[in-house]
Amino acid sequence: MMIKHLLSIDQLSTDQIDLVLKTADSFGEVGTRTIKKVPALRGRTVCNLFFEPSTRTRLSFELAAKRLSADVITFTADSKTSVSKGESFKDTALTLQAMGLDAIVVRHTSGGAAKRLSQWVDASVLNAGDGSNEHPTQALLDLYTIKQRFGRIDGLHIGIVGDVFHSRVARSNIKAMTKMGAHVTVIGPPTLLPVTVGSWGVDVSTDLDAMLPKLDIVYLLRIQKERQVDQFFPSLREYSMFWGLDNRRVGLMKPEALIMHPGPINRGVEIAGDLPEMERFIVADQVTNGIAVRASLMFLMLGGSQELPPSEKS
Ligand code: CP
């Protein structure tokens, strides 16, 4: 019942999302064992193909594949690969195709790159972030983290704050969160909210202080200077003053409300320097859960689904 490629959250039904999250529970348990490995994908080969920097996504996909006993190769488009000699994305893809891979995890600066790759290769393609388009596995690990903390997603009010315009995380999360029944409000300066945002099934606000007391989750986005070709706000200091989370603003939140962030964080910009150490800032849970959710996806998509990993006690 699982899809061959994961390019967009649009491809997943609520039942499929539930299955990914439920299966991730088993892999979360594997991650607590002394020997964190199951044979589910033994003999299969996964390639991490990264044309853009990454810490969390690349390492957690690698760790997830290794925990499933897959062989993992990693390609980062730098001076050590033939991309530096002018080899195109397509020729790189065809080279990988000739190596008989089972899955390719791809991150690329261009929106649509993962879809294009899926048209060139027989392997399953997992989108690890394509330009400003989508980052579906980030959204799934975020759903998992929310469900773990609140026991549900349905009915929660989630504020996505900041650079929505350039954010693939926002696009995938808005699709995933609204699909699973959450009420989403996007909050930020008008210049960082896409003109089409009104058709995304979300509420829109430019007043963070007014929204904070209503939210169950404050999901902060990174200011993506690398994607901003225009001056979208006067200065980082001004951005921080109007839309950054600081101690005063945390005081406006519901006592039980949590703060999330996909990482990497810009301390002192979207979040005050000392806040990431707060208990209600759960970015470390997001990172930990990313391994289990990505293992779950690869397990389901690559047909390792004969049996879930047995409990260490059984
Ligand atoms: N959240 C995320 O995609 O982080 P990386 O860019 O470090 O992979």
Side-chain angles (χ1 to χ4, degrees):
M1 72 155 293
M2 243 316 138
I3 50 178
K4 175 165 183 185
H5 307 293
L6 178 62
L7 310 175
S8 163
I9 287 293
D10 291 332
Q11 294 170 265
L12 296 174
S13 66
T14 52
D15 282 350
Q16 286 171 315
I17 291 176
D18 279 333
L19 177 64
V20 172
L21 303 192
K22 190 166 179 298
T23 308
D25 280 338
S26 305
F27 291 108
E29 189 272 317
V30 170
T32 65
R33 297 182 192 173
T34 317
I35 297 170
K36 302 173 178 57
K37 219 171 174 72
V38 294
L41 293 185
R42 190 158 49 199
R44 316 298 290 277
T45 307
V46 175
C47 175
N48 274 331
L49 177 60
F50 277 63
F51 288 85
E52 203 187 77
S54 168
T55 298
R56 280 145 286 270
T57 311
R58 187 170 70 77
L59 293 180
S60 67
F61 261 116
E62 184 168 336
L63 209 44
K66 285 180 171 166
R67 286 190 180 167
L68 292 164
S69 304
D71 296 318
V72 184
I73 55 174
T74 295
F75 174 106
T76 48
D78 55 24
S79 59
K80 295 190 188 71
T81 71
S82 292
V83 170
S84 67
K85 301 175 194 164
E87 188 163 53
S88 69
F89 181 40
K90 183 169 186 179
D91 285 329
T92 301
L94 295 178
T95 303
L96 297 178
Q97 162 71 12
M99 292 180 183
L101 303 170
D102 295 291
I104 303 178
V105 177
V106 63
R107 169 168 292 191
H108 202 281
T109 46
S110 299
K115 184 171 181 186
R116 209 74 187 95
L117 179 64
S118 73
Q119 293 160 347
W120 293 327
V121 297
D122 294 330
S124 286
V125 173
L126 292 98
N127 182 0
D130 59 332
S132 300
N133 182 38
E134 280 223 38
H135 194 350
T137 63
Q138 178 70 45
L140 291 168
L141 75 88
D142 289 333
L143 291 183
Y144 186 86
T145 305
I146 292 167
K147 199 159 181 203
Q148 190 177 58
R149 286 295 188 133
F150 286 91
R152 67 190 171 101
I153 299 158
D154 188 34
L156 294 177
H157 191 176
I158 303 170
I160 298 184
V161 184
D163 187 0
V164 178
F165 186 83
H166 296 96
S167 177
R168 56 194 175 208
V169 172
R171 280 172 182 75
S172 286
N173 255 318
I174 287 167
K175 290 178 183 182
M177 289 165 176
T178 54
K179 195 174 272 212
M180 301 308 282
H183 170 196
V184 176
T185 301
V186 295
I187 306 157
T191 48
L192 289 178
L193 301 177
V195 283
T196 53
V197 74
S199 64
W200 291 6
V202 296
D203 287 333
V204 180
S205 171
T206 54
D207 189 343
L208 180 59
D209 284 8
M211 288 308 305
L212 285 173
K214 302 175 185 169
L215 301 173
D216 298 300
I217 295 164
V218 178
Y219 194 106
L220 302 173
L221 298 172
R222 184 173 65 87
I223 286 293
Q224 299 180 53
K225 289 304 275 181
E226 75 277 17
R227 291 209 177 88
Q228 295 180 8
V229 286
D230 294 316
Q231 190 73 29
F232 287 86
F233 46 84
S235 67
L236 288 177
R237 196 163 163 271
E238 173 146 333
Y239 178 87
S240 181
M241 199 172 5
F242 285 97
W243 292 283
L245 198 67
D246 56 14
N247 270 304
R248 181 188 68 78
R249 290 200 166 111
V250 170
L252 301 175
M253 291 170 57
K254 291 182 192 176
E256 69 281 12
L258 299 176
I259 307 162
M260 297 176 73
H261 193 303
I265 56 176
N266 292 310
R267 282 184 195 248
V269 182
E270 66 266 3
I271 187 159
D274 54 339
L275 288 192
E277 279 66 46
M278 290 186 89
E279 232 172 78
R280 63 162 88 196
F281 187 60
I282 56 168
V283 69
D285 289 16
Q286 293 170 261
V287 173
T288 303
N289 292 335
I291 302 167
V293 170
R294 286 168 175 138
S296 163
L297 266 171
M298 285 190 281
F299 176 76
L300 293 168
M301 289 173 64
L302 297 187
S305 54
Q306 306 87 336
E307 273 188 44
L308 290 172
S311 153
E312 200 172 39
K313 296 183 197 79
S314 64

